[in-house]
Amino acid sequence: MSVLTKYIRDIKDFPKKGIVFKDITPLLKNPQTFAEVNRILFEQYKQSKIDYVVGIESRGFIIGAALAVQLKAGFIPIRKKGKLPYKTIQKTYDLEYGTDIIEMHVDAVKKNDRVLLVDDLIATGGTLRACAELVASQGAELVDIAVVVELEFLKGRKTLNPYPLYSIIKY
Ligand code: AMP
């Protein structure tokens, strides 16, 4: 297993009972491990001609923005409903209980833009699936979806299908 896993902390019963939350703040705090994550992702995508890194609120912003600078790509945020100031397009998706809505600015991506979607972690895959559909709905080319952590036992990769997924650390 990667040395990076030592910097991912398990928080039991957060944000609610029965969930083991993978806390990546120690990994971000350590300059070597934060740089290593960035290096791995840069190596993976440096030839991919990415126009925009789309990051998902909020930890996807941290990983995605650092990567965008290195790839010489732009950065685009996807946020929870009501946070973005300009006109938005939306996607509603199912949670364990109820639904949630994510948004992206209407002029954020356009047809044929080469997009890399980034988040810190994939659990059930519902959030990333909704984000992938939002990006694809604009005619952009979703080159790949990248996360630092994949909780394989939750089968998010299957939920994402046919969208691709790259992950650094698997549990
Ligand atoms: P999901 O839609 O189930 O794939 O959930 C993905 C989003 O929820 C990501 O943005 C994660 O940051 C967060 N998340 C879900 N489960 C966990 C977990 N066990 N540890 C840390 N973050 C999680």
Side-chain angles (χ1 to χ4, degrees), residues 67-81:
L67 180 62
V69 170
Q70 224 181 347
L71 288 173
K72 295 189 166 57
F75 179 82
I76 292 168
I78 287 184
R79 300 200 66 178
K80 296 274 162 61
K81 184 182 159 59

Side-chain angles (χ1 to χ4, degrees), residues 8 15 24-25 28 33 35 50-51 54 57-59 67 81 88 100 107 111 113 116 126 142 154 157 161:
I8 297 173
I24 64 161
T25 61
L28 298 173
T33 50
I50 302 297
D51 296 311
V54 173
E57 181 174 6
S58 58
R59 289 174 299 270
L67 180 62
K81 184 182 159 59
T88 61
D100 217 340
D107 59 355
K111 200 168 175 339
D113 283 344
L116 174 65
L142 189 57
L154 292 175
R157 192 177 281 273
N161 186 44

Side-chain angles (χ1 to χ4, degrees), residues 19-22 59 119-128 151:
I19 306 263
V20 180
F21 191 87
K22 297 289 182 191
R59 289 174 299 270
D119 204 357
D120 66 325
L121 180 143
I122 181 166
T124 65
T127 308
L128 274 169
L151 302 182

Side-chain angles (χ1 to χ4, degrees), residues 147-158:
V147 295
V148 180
V149 178
E150 176 180 4
L151 302 182
E152 277 187 311
F153 55 94
L154 292 175
K155 303 193 169 25
R157 192 177 281 273
K158 207 169 148 202

